[in-house]
Amino acid sequence: MESVYNCVEKNTKFLIGDGRDTSLYYDIWFDKTSIADVLNGYSLDATARVSDILKDGLWDIPEIHLQYLIAAGLELNRMPIPMGGADVRVWMPELKGEFSVKSVTELLRQKYSRLKGTQLLWRKEVHPVLAAQNWKFLRGACATYDLIRRRFKISLANKCCLCDVQEETLTHVLYECCFAIRAWNWLADVFKLQPNANLIVSFKAAKGRSHIVRDLWLIANLVLRSELWQLRNKAVFEHKKPNWSIFHKRVLKLIQDYSIRLKGHMNNSADDVVLLSYFRVQHRSVKLHHPVACFWLPPEANELQICCDGVARGNPGVAGAGVVARDEHCSVLGAMSIGLGVTTNYLAELYDTIVGLEWAMQWGFSCICIRSDSMGVVEAFKNDSIPCR
């Protein structure tokens, strides 16, 4: 409770009212620094109130204290304005100024840096068991010999159980051991992709391939890392020598089992069919792209065509609109863009049409063709239900 109390005191500011209930020397004006700390005077009267330096509704700080406060960074023109009435505490960590246990928890809890690659582990295509195993690799929470020796300060023979040559580290077991190198080379030959110790870099190597192949490549990377660690544990605790044939068959079976969660489409190519057949993955349908016919008709004689479009960044949000005007020969007569302030997407689409019509009327055109991609705006004009009228 003491730590919570300190946290509350150090992150609370006062909204100045009449200053009767606000401690002068423990009020926070300097970003978690009290006035007593700034003045370096712990013998100051702790019962002093803000009202003691308020006269006729204005600040009246003693000259000797004012010099120290200005030197510490106090800006007189930015001091809170006395508003009268009762004092109100404002909890600074919350935007609304209201105290909450959640905000205190956020202030007190120890935060760790975010690990790179976690967004790949917790995707819906990755089975939770496989994700949990690889989460340990990202955190380095694996009891390799070098980690045990360093943590417990003990003398321990350190030799990789898979190759019996190099010292054992997590990176060596998963990537640098001769057995691991053979496994990764096999996977690279099958996918025609280059794996990497960095999971993000390895996943990006499949950029440009079909959706299901990219996900299958990720699953294969995770399975291979997990099985290399399991193989190491069997060698340490069960004294089993690594066997490539058994390892190879098990990895193939696990990739096939975990691929049941894959829902992506394949490309219409022989490479995808061969690859999916190799791992016995159920073939997904090819995603077909149906061409959409697009056409544009020029305006008729003595007719002005205005193409209007509006957009808002957010709904509502900062909005803008653009208008392009063409004559019967398809020549561009003019183009215009305007800012609309903060409004909704619908009103942005509506305003750009209204502005375009006003613009055309100023040019003296009475026959106007409007083109808009907003069905709501078209219906509003058809039914004469424009909100601004």
Side-chain angles (χ1 to χ4, degrees):
M1 290 301 295
E2 182 179 357
S3 60
V4 175
Y5 174 77
N6 292 335
C7 181
V8 171
E9 287 299 315
K10 291 180 180 179
N11 291 276
T12 306
K13 286 190 178 180
F14 291 96
L15 181 64
I16 302 301
D18 59 9
R20 292 177 296 178
D21 299 328
T22 306
S23 172
L24 172 60
Y25 298 114
Y26 291 96
D27 185 22
I28 311 300
W29 288 356
F30 298 91
D31 293 334
K32 302 184 181 180
T33 304
S34 67
I35 296 179
D37 292 334
V38 172
L39 298 178
N40 196 20
Y42 295 96
S43 60
L44 297 174
D45 184 6
T47 62
R49 302 298 177 197
V50 174
S51 58
D52 296 337
I53 57 174
L54 280 173
K55 292 185 179 179
D56 299 328
L58 299 175
W59 296 108
D60 185 15
I61 305 176
E63 185 67 25
I64 185 174
H65 289 169
L66 183 60
Q67 297 177 2
Y68 288 107
L69 294 174
I70 293 177
L74 176 66
E75 299 181 16
L76 296 178
N77 58 343
R78 298 185 62 183
M79 291 183 63
I81 302 174
M83 297 180 296
D87 299 332
V88 179
R89 283 198 170 196
V90 178
W91 179 244
M92 297 303 294
E94 287 287 344
L95 294 177
K96 296 182 179 179
E98 300 177 356
F99 174 81
S100 65
V101 176
K102 178 181 178 181
S103 61
V104 176
T105 304
E106 288 295 317
L107 290 171
L108 294 180
R109 73 182 182 91
Q110 184 178 3
K111 298 181 180 180
Y112 296 92
S113 58
R114 301 186 66 177
L115 297 175
K116 296 181 179 179
T118 55
Q119 68 275 16
L120 295 176
L121 297 183
W122 308 118
R123 298 176 59 181
K124 60 182 180 180
E125 292 85 3
V126 181
H127 194 279
V129 173
L130 188 60
Q133 292 171 348
N134 282 269
W135 168 257
K136 297 179 181 179
F137 302 146
L138 290 182
R139 292 196 58 198
C142 298
T144 52
Y145 286 141
D146 66 319
L147 182 61
I148 295 174
R149 187 168 57 181
R150 184 170 62 252
R151 179 175 296 178
F152 296 102
K153 310 297 182 184
I154 59 175
S155 298
L156 184 66
N158 186 0
K159 183 182 290 187
C160 176
C161 299
L162 301 182
C163 65
D164 289 331
V165 177
Q166 300 293 331
E167 290 189 351
E168 182 185 82
T169 63
L170 182 60
T171 303
H172 175 79
V173 172
L174 298 183
Y175 299 102
E176 299 174 355
C177 175
C178 60
F179 194 92
I181 292 175
R182 182 180 180 182
W184 287 112
N185 288 337
W186 159 68
L187 200 64
D189 292 338
V190 174
F191 279 90
K192 301 298 186 292
L193 297 172
Q194 185 60 42
N196 192 283
N198 187 315
L199 187 60
I200 298 178
V201 176
S202 185
F203 180 70
K204 287 182 178 179
K207 185 178 181 180
R209 305 290 291 271
S210 64
H211 194 176
I212 192 171
V213 170
R214 292 201 307 269
D215 292 339
L216 187 63
W217 170 247
L218 174 62
I219 295 298
N221 276 258
L222 299 180
V223 168
L224 194 56
R225 284 153 48 114
S226 177
E227 286 306 302
L228 285 171
W229 180 250
Q230 294 294 334
L231 190 67
R232 177 264 179 193
N233 287 341
K234 289 182 179 180
V236 172
F237 300 108
E238 301 178 15
H239 305 289
K240 291 185 177 180
K241 294 295 181 180
N243 186 295
W244 171 254
S245 178
I246 297 177
F247 177 83
H248 177 262
K249 292 179 181 179
R250 178 170 172 79
V251 169
L252 282 175
K253 184 64 168 63
L254 287 175
I255 293 176
Q256 179 188 1
D257 293 342
Y258 285 127
S259 67
I260 194 66
R261 299 171 68 93
L262 304 184
K263 303 299 181 182
H265 295 275
M266 60 179 288
N267 288 339
N268 188 17
S269 64
D271 291 339
D272 280 16
V273 174
V274 172
L275 182 61
L276 297 179
S277 300
Y278 181 83
F279 289 101
R280 298 181 181 178
V281 177
Q282 182 181 359
H283 293 188
R284 308 295 178 187
S285 59
V286 178
K287 189 173 184 180
L288 299 177
H289 297 278
H290 299 284
V292 179
C294 298
F295 60 92
W296 183 82
L297 296 176
E300 298 179 357
N302 299 323
E303 184 181 63
L304 179 70
Q305 185 179 92
I306 57 174
C307 299
C308 311
D309 196 13
V311 66
R313 181 175 292 181
N315 198 19
V318 179
V323 181
V324 177
R326 297 177 184 269
D327 61 11
E328 57 184 295
H329 303 293
C330 300
S331 300
V332 177
L333 299 181
M336 175 181 59
S337 62
I338 58 173
L340 301 175
V342 178
T343 185
T344 62
N345 283 317
Y346 171 70
L347 291 180
E349 295 276 8
L350 186 66
Y351 291 158
D352 71 348
T353 305
I354 295 175
V355 170
L357 287 173
E358 292 178 349
W359 194 31
M361 294 296 293
Q362 290 177 3
W363 287 352
F365 285 92
S366 58
C367 185
I368 304 170
C369 175
I370 304 172
R371 290 197 178 275
S372 174
D373 60 354
S374 175
M375 183 59 67
V377 172
V378 174
E379 292 297 326
F381 275 92
K382 284 183 177 180
N383 301 327
D384 196 20
S385 57
I386 302 175
C388 59
R389 291 186 61 181

